[in-house]
Amino acid sequence: MRDLVYYVAASIDGFIADTHGDVSAFPQDRATLAALFDRYPETCPAHLRDVLGVIGAPRRFDTVLMGYRTYEPALAVGLPGGVYPHLHQVIVTHRDVPASPNLTAISSDLPHRITRLKDQPGRDIWLCGGANLAAQLIDHIDEIQIKVNPVILGAGTPLLPVPGAARDLRLATMEELPGGVALLTYRSGNHREEPARSAQ
């Protein structure tokens, strides 16, 4: 079965965007981006690959899952096919989305649809946003990878808005990246993991 991985940037105080949904407060250090896109080249938006010199083939993900608000900025910049056309893009929404290769919209029976998606052959599935979608799928998420940025937002969109929910997560790795970013990887308690290690 494929893993569903919530891979997302966050502030030290646990917000993935400010109160207006803006992420520009997160530092965009070129060395940090290079390290992240070397790890997962497929997570670099297609229109930025040449600019940033990202040429690598997918290493972990072949599918990206997102809500409409995460997909919508692609429309604003004239990319109705989404910013990850090199991946199978799955948009969770009740709205109409433009017909485009590698883009699928789903709206009903979400847990069943995600279970079926995970059962299909292929690479892992990247849940890139938003937080409300991640909260709806909390019981289906196998791994949470948080890019903790050296910034405090004070308020905004929480990483996982699930009050009262409890999950058994295990810290798998802690890695220091350029630009003062820490990459924390947590696995679901249903998986056996090696003890957490720190990479310097």
Side-chain angles (χ1 to χ4, degrees):
M1 177 179 284
R2 306 156 81 188
D3 279 349
L4 178 61
V5 181
Y6 185 30
Y7 176 60
V8 64
S11 63
I12 290 175
D13 51 346
F15 297 103
I16 65 172
D18 67 16
T19 54
H20 303 290
D22 188 11
V23 297
S24 61
F26 292 157
Q28 297 296 317
D29 186 284
R30 290 290 291 250
T32 307
L33 294 177
L36 292 170
F37 293 144
D38 180 65
R39 176 185 301 269
Y40 300 137
E42 62 271 32
T43 64
C44 181
H47 63 290
L48 296 179
R49 289 175 71 88
D50 287 342
V51 174
L52 297 175
V54 178
I55 59 175
R59 292 187 175 170
R60 182 170 186 184
F61 307 111
D62 63 13
T63 301
V64 57
L65 178 69
M66 69 187 82
Y68 188 83
R69 289 180 62 186
T70 302
Y71 162 72
E72 192 172 26
L75 298 178
V77 296
L79 297 170
V83 297
Y84 305 106
H86 49 287
L87 301 175
H88 176 206
Q89 302 168 99
V90 180
I91 316 300
V92 180
T93 181
H94 290 284
R95 307 184 193 191
D96 292 331
V97 298
S100 179
N102 293 340
L103 194 152
T104 302
I106 61 175
S107 61
S108 60
D109 199 10
L110 187 56
H112 177 67
R113 298 289 293 271
I114 297 306
T115 297
R116 287 183 57 190
L117 189 64
K118 291 175 67 175
D119 282 340
Q120 293 173 3
R123 298 178 184 267
D124 288 339
I125 303 161
W126 170 30
L127 171 53
C128 75
N132 288 330
L133 178 60
Q136 292 179 60
L137 295 175
I138 186 64
D139 291 331
H140 299 270
I141 293 174
D142 302 286
E143 182 175 303
I144 300 175
Q145 280 200 322
I146 310 169
K147 297 166 280 186
V148 182
N149 285 259
V151 62
I152 296 174
L153 295 180
T157 304
L159 176 71
L160 272 169
V162 282
R167 282 297 306 274
D168 179 16
L169 299 174
R170 298 169 187 251
L171 180 62
T173 61
M174 301 178 291
E175 301 176 57
E176 182 179 351
L177 301 180
V181 174
L183 181 64
L184 306 180
T185 301
Y186 294 88
R187 294 287 295 176
S188 164
N190 296 328
H191 297 267
R192 288 186 178 180
E193 295 296 331
E194 298 177 358
R197 64 183 186 276
S198 175
Q200 300 295 327

